[in-house]
């Protein structure tokens, strides 16, 4: 296997994640315009976000299984095609109902990105490299979110919001053409494969359920910043569209650096002799402490200081996620990684739905302050769950906890 080729494959995951977030962030950047045109209250906007998260949650239970069954090339490619078409359809929205429907379709497609990308990392990278590789591809979410405010705001101001959705939707099809012609499998020839790890065994495992529950209190933090930060700048800090385009990318840029930091932190702890369990959990805990910066961010008078604190909190999230993304590959074989991460992401989607509706209600009835307090505190719950309930990753690996031994599966390129 060409060791340099793995970085090209990781580049595909990174680029797909950038496009994923361009498509996702287009709504949040355009939200002030859409809310004015369609007369949407905060809770109505929350319902549209809820539609995305509902589809995202439901499909996460299936997306990983499909990618494992169809193979990385076909499975990942189909999900990118689906979400790109769905993003393009947003340009035809006529009101809150059709916008919610297209958002639901987008959620169905975007649920395949992280299981597919995690599978690429599991197939191509060793355990010591996985948090770094995960941090690199996941930084694509920050890059996409960085690009979205200036690009979408520019297109909104010059061409209208319908053109903005159409253009970002088309970007995925460019990626798809390159993927079809350039993707390669990490397995060059046939290898002997033991009996595959049964899905029932995974669903009974302590790791899968603890990991799933922990994500209920972790990923909704990112959903909050993704869907509500431009809204906060508009209604909480009174930024106009040009100012949102000028400054709205900054926290996402810092978040991209946090993604790389999380991978390096875990790798440094491993180099110092820590076990994988201690390295992953410690990195997530440090990240949770960083996310507490959300609380003072909404209390300070200065918009500059507020954005700086939000940037620190978002960097904490991506630093923690780089290690959360690596955990399934630490425990289960590559041919089951997409399924496990997809199933666990149902937890993040479930939490995202609950906290999104709660966010809309809090903002309509009170202000942004209780929402920022909430999303500063819930990552601590995630960290406690990992330390108190998950146990050792090493003891739960597929070769010891389940009692089965597997070798890397073959996959048709």
């Amino acid at each position: 296997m060409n060791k340099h080729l793995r970085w090209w494959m990781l580049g595909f995951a990174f680029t797909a994640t950038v496009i994923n977030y361009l498509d996702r962030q287009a709504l949040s950047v355009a939200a002030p315009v859409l809310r004015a045109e369609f007369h949407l209250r905060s809770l109505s906007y929350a319902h549209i976000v809820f539609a995305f998260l509902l589809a995202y949650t439901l499909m996460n239970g299936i997306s990983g299984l499909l990618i494992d069954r169809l193979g990385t090339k076909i499975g990942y490619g189909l999900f990118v095609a689906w979400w790109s078409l769905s993003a393009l359809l947003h340009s035809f929205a006529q009101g809150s109902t059709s916008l919610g429907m297209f958002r639901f379709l987008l959620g169905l497609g975007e649920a395949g990105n992280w299981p597919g990308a995690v599978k690429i990392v599991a197939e191509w990278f060793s355990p010591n490299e996985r948090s770094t590789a995960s941090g690199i591809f996941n930084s694509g979410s920050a890059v996409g979110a960085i690009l979205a405010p200036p690009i979408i705001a520019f297109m909104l101001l010059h061409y209208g919001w319908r053109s903005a959705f159409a253009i970002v939707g088309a970007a995925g099809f460019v990626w798809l053409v390159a993927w079809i012609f350039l993707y390669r499998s990490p397995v060059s020839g046939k290898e002997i494969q033991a009996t595959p790890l049964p899905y029932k065994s995974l669903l009974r495992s302590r790791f899968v359920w603890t990991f799933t529950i922990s994500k209920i209190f972790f990923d909704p933090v990112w959903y909050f910043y993704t869907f509500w930060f431009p809204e906060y700048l508009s209604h909480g800090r009174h930024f106009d569209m040009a100012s949102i385009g000028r400054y709205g990318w900054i926290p996402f840029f810092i978040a991209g650096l946090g993604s790389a930091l999380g991978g390096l932190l875990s790798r440094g702890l491993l180099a110092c002799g820590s076990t994988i369990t201690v390295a992953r959990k410690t990195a997530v805990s440090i990240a949770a402490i960083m996310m507490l910066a959300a609380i003072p961010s909404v209390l300070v008078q200065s918009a500059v200081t507020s954005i700086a604190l939000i940037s620190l909190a978002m960097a904490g999230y991506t630093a923690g996620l780089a290690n959360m993304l690596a955990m399934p590959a630490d425990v289960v074989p590559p041919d089951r990684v997409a399924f496990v991460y997809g199933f666990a992401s149902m937890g993040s989607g479930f939490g995202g739905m609950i906290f999104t509706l709660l966010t809309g209600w809090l903002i309509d009835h009170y202000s942004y302050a209780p929402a920022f307090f909430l999303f500063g505190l819930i990552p601590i719950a995630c960290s406690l769950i990992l330390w108190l309930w998950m146990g050792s990753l090493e003891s739960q690996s597929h070769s010891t906890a389940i009692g089965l031994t597997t070798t890397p599966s073959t996959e048709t390129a």
Side-chain angles (χ1 to χ4, degrees), residues 31-377:
V33 174
L34 293 171
R35 287 186 63 181
E37 183 170 332
F38 297 145
H39 309 291
L40 302 174
R41 297 178 62 214
S42 293
L43 191 55
S44 299
Y45 174 68
H47 288 153
I48 293 170
V49 174
F50 180 88
F52 170 88
L53 290 171
L54 175 61
Y56 192 79
T57 302
L58 295 174
M59 184 53 74
N60 265 318
I62 304 171
S63 61
L65 177 63
L66 288 175
I67 292 171
D68 280 335
R69 289 288 180 87
L70 296 174
T72 307
K73 183 173 186 176
I74 295 175
Y76 201 4
L78 285 175
F79 276 101
V80 175
W82 180 279
W83 92 56
S84 299
L85 178 60
S86 302
L88 194 151
L89 288 174
H90 281 59
S91 62
F92 297 99
Q94 298 298 318
S96 60
T97 301
S98 55
L99 189 59
M101 289 173 57
F102 296 143
R103 210 66 192 165
F104 184 88
L105 293 175
L106 183 71
L108 292 177
E110 291 206 346
N113 185 68
W114 272 262
V118 167
K119 188 173 177 67
I120 288 175
V121 170
E123 290 174 337
W124 286 91
F125 291 86
S126 68
N128 287 349
E129 298 172 317
R130 283 174 187 154
S131 62
T132 302
S134 297
I136 291 172
F137 95 70
N138 187 62
S139 67
S141 61
V143 173
I146 289 166
L147 295 175
I151 290 175
I152 303 301
F154 176 83
M155 289 190 288
L156 279 168
L157 293 170
H158 291 83
Y159 307 109
W161 63 268
R162 296 184 188 278
S163 297
F165 280 112
I167 292 170
V168 296
F173 292 103
V174 177
W175 180 95
L176 191 61
V177 172
W179 174 257
I180 290 171
F181 287 101
L182 299 178
Y183 172 80
R184 296 292 180 270
S185 169
V187 181
S188 58
K190 292 185 177 180
E191 298 181 16
I192 297 174
Q193 181 178 344
T195 303
L197 191 61
Y199 290 110
K200 289 184 179 179
S201 296
L202 289 170
L203 292 176
R204 289 196 299 265
S205 72
R206 177 180 181 181
F207 168 78
V208 169
W209 284 102
T210 305
F211 187 61
T212 300
I213 294 170
S214 71
K215 285 172 70 62
I216 293 174
F217 301 96
F218 192 73
D219 292 339
V221 175
W222 186 252
Y223 299 150
F224 171 66
Y225 292 122
T226 299
F227 296 123
W228 293 93
F229 178 62
E231 275 285 285
Y232 171 66
L233 292 181
S234 176
H235 294 91
R237 295 290 174 176
H238 310 295
F239 281 31
D240 58 21
M241 182 57 65
S243 297
I244 291 173
R246 195 175 301 121
Y247 302 109
W249 60 273
I250 294 174
F252 295 97
F253 173 76
I254 303 300
L257 300 179
S259 190
L261 173 65
L264 293 174
L265 175 60
S266 180
R267 193 168 184 174
L269 290 169
L270 290 170
C272 292
S274 293
T275 63
I276 289 178
T277 298
V278 172
R280 302 281 193 249
K281 293 181 182 180
T282 299
V284 172
S285 299
I286 292 172
I289 293 171
M290 292 171 63
M291 283 186 269
L292 289 170
I295 295 174
S297 73
V298 75
L299 302 176
V300 297
Q301 294 296 319
S302 168
V304 172
T305 305
S306 177
I307 291 174
L309 289 168
I310 290 170
S311 298
L312 177 61
M314 290 172 67
Y317 171 80
T318 54
L321 185 61
N323 290 275
M324 296 282 280
L325 286 165
M327 286 181 182
D330 294 331
V331 177
V332 301
D335 63 346
R336 293 294 185 264
V337 163
F339 167 76
V340 169
Y341 196 82
F343 181 86
S345 292
M346 292 179 68
S348 65
F350 177 73
M353 287 190 293
I354 294 174
F355 289 118
T356 292
L357 293 179
L358 181 58
T359 299
W361 185 85
L362 288 171
I363 294 170
D364 271 345
H365 289 80
Y366 299 99
S367 68
Y368 279 93
F372 274 89
F373 271 71
L374 175 68
F375 290 105
L377 291 172

